[in-house]
Amino acid sequence: ERLVALLAQHLDRLVDADRVAPGARAFGSCVTPSYGKRSDQLSTAPLRQRGSVMNEKPVERRLAAILAADIVGYSRMMGADEVGTLRAVKTYRKELIDPIIASRHGRIVKTMGDGILVEFASAVDAVACGITLQRGTASRNEALPEDKRLAFRIGINVGDIIIDSNDIFGDGVNVAARLEALCEPGGLCISRAVRDQVRDKLPIAFDDLGEQAVKNIARPVRALGLAPRAIAAAPDLAAGGHIAHAM
């Protein structure tokens, strides 16, 4: 009986030796602590992190014509009559600006109180839209007193842009905004890239404003302008009505 008991104890020790203690994991012939986590979980964590980076959506870019416009003297007008100014801006947008942009297949990216940013697939459509907007605004202003008139500056550029959700970014957008700042009230200011696209397609002659050093743009920008009187004398460029003519 004593021999049987000794054999039983020996067998129990052998069985215990083959077991892996709680909190440890066998690795080949060794027993290594896992500190509460499986070693395969620890080794794949960096792979999951790298995978999340690899699965990030790539940056979306495209070439587009960008129109940037703002209202001249907006702060002064708001200071004099906030409610009246806001109503006037809403009326202009509803009855004039938005319909003209839509007729030229433009997409309103965003509005900024006194400004608007619009994207076009075509430089011809962008320029024709800008000219038509300025002509329509001038026509509406004729029946209004001087202090109630809205006047716009418009800048247009063609360039590579970055799309993030529904917004757009990049030098293509920044140059359009800088050209708008160079524009005289009621006029239009475009980059050379735009002029090259619309040349021989629209019967409009732009004035060469030369190389312009603009804020936060590394290289000078060649700007061309269209004064209000030239816009008033231009042919009707309403959608479907423009004609090709050498500039």
Side-chain angles (χ1 to χ4, degrees):
E1 291 179 357
R2 183 177 180 182
L3 179 59
V4 171
L6 290 172
L7 287 173
Q9 291 176 5
H10 180 66
L11 288 173
D12 289 339
R13 285 195 296 269
L14 290 175
V15 171
D16 289 338
D18 286 335
R19 290 174 180 164
V20 177
R25 177 173 176 82
F27 186 79
S29 60
C30 302
V31 176
T32 57
S34 67
Y35 301 102
K37 294 184 179 179
R38 300 205 319 265
S39 60
D40 58 346
Q41 288 178 322
L42 293 173
S43 62
T44 58
L47 293 177
R48 288 199 299 270
Q49 292 173 2
R50 290 195 294 270
S52 65
V53 173
M54 294 174 65
N55 291 333
E56 285 184 359
K57 186 178 179 181
V59 174
E60 182 184 354
R61 292 180 177 270
R62 63 171 170 256
L63 191 67
I66 307 302
L67 182 152
D70 81 338
I71 301 171
V72 180
Y74 180 78
S75 296
R76 173 187 56 77
M77 296 177 70
M78 286 290 288
D81 183 4
E82 287 183 345
V83 175
T85 300
L86 288 174
R87 286 176 177 170
V89 172
K90 287 183 178 180
T91 300
Y92 270 67
R93 281 205 56 186
K94 180 180 179 181
E95 299 179 0
L96 181 72
I97 299 171
D98 289 15
I100 292 174
I101 291 172
S103 73
R104 284 292 176 178
H105 316 293
R107 179 179 77 90
I108 297 176
V109 178
K110 58 185 173 184
T111 58
M112 301 151 285
D114 65 337
I116 188 169
L117 188 66
V118 188
E119 176 191 0
F120 295 85
S122 160
V124 172
D125 277 338
V127 172
C129 178
I131 292 173
T132 306
L133 282 175
Q134 294 292 40
R135 286 168 63 95
T137 301
S139 177
R140 292 179 68 99
N141 283 341
E142 290 177 356
L144 298 174
E146 187 74 28
D147 61 338
K148 299 295 183 182
R149 296 178 180 179
L150 293 185
F152 294 89
R153 287 187 294 249
I154 296 177
I156 302 175
N157 181 47
V158 168
D160 194 68
I161 61 173
I162 298 173
I163 299 89
D164 184 12
S165 297
N166 291 322
D167 209 345
I168 57 177
F169 304 90
D171 277 354
V173 179
N174 295 338
V175 169
R178 301 311 178 198
L179 290 169
E180 172 257 296
L182 295 173
C183 182
E184 64 177 297
L188 203 69
C189 191
I190 67 173
S191 64
R192 180 171 58 184
V194 174
R195 192 276 310 272
D196 291 344
Q197 293 294 319
V198 303
R199 175 182 282 177
D200 302 328
K201 296 182 179 69
L202 292 175
I204 305 296
F206 287 86
D207 296 325
D208 192 342
L209 305 179
E211 300 283 341
Q212 300 287 329
V214 295
K215 184 179 179 181
N216 295 332
I217 303 297
R219 300 176 182 176
V221 176
R222 186 67 171 269
L224 298 100
L226 198 63
R229 61 183 179 278
I231 290 175
D236 183 11
L237 298 181
H242 72 271
I243 57 175
H245 182 75
M247 293 173 61

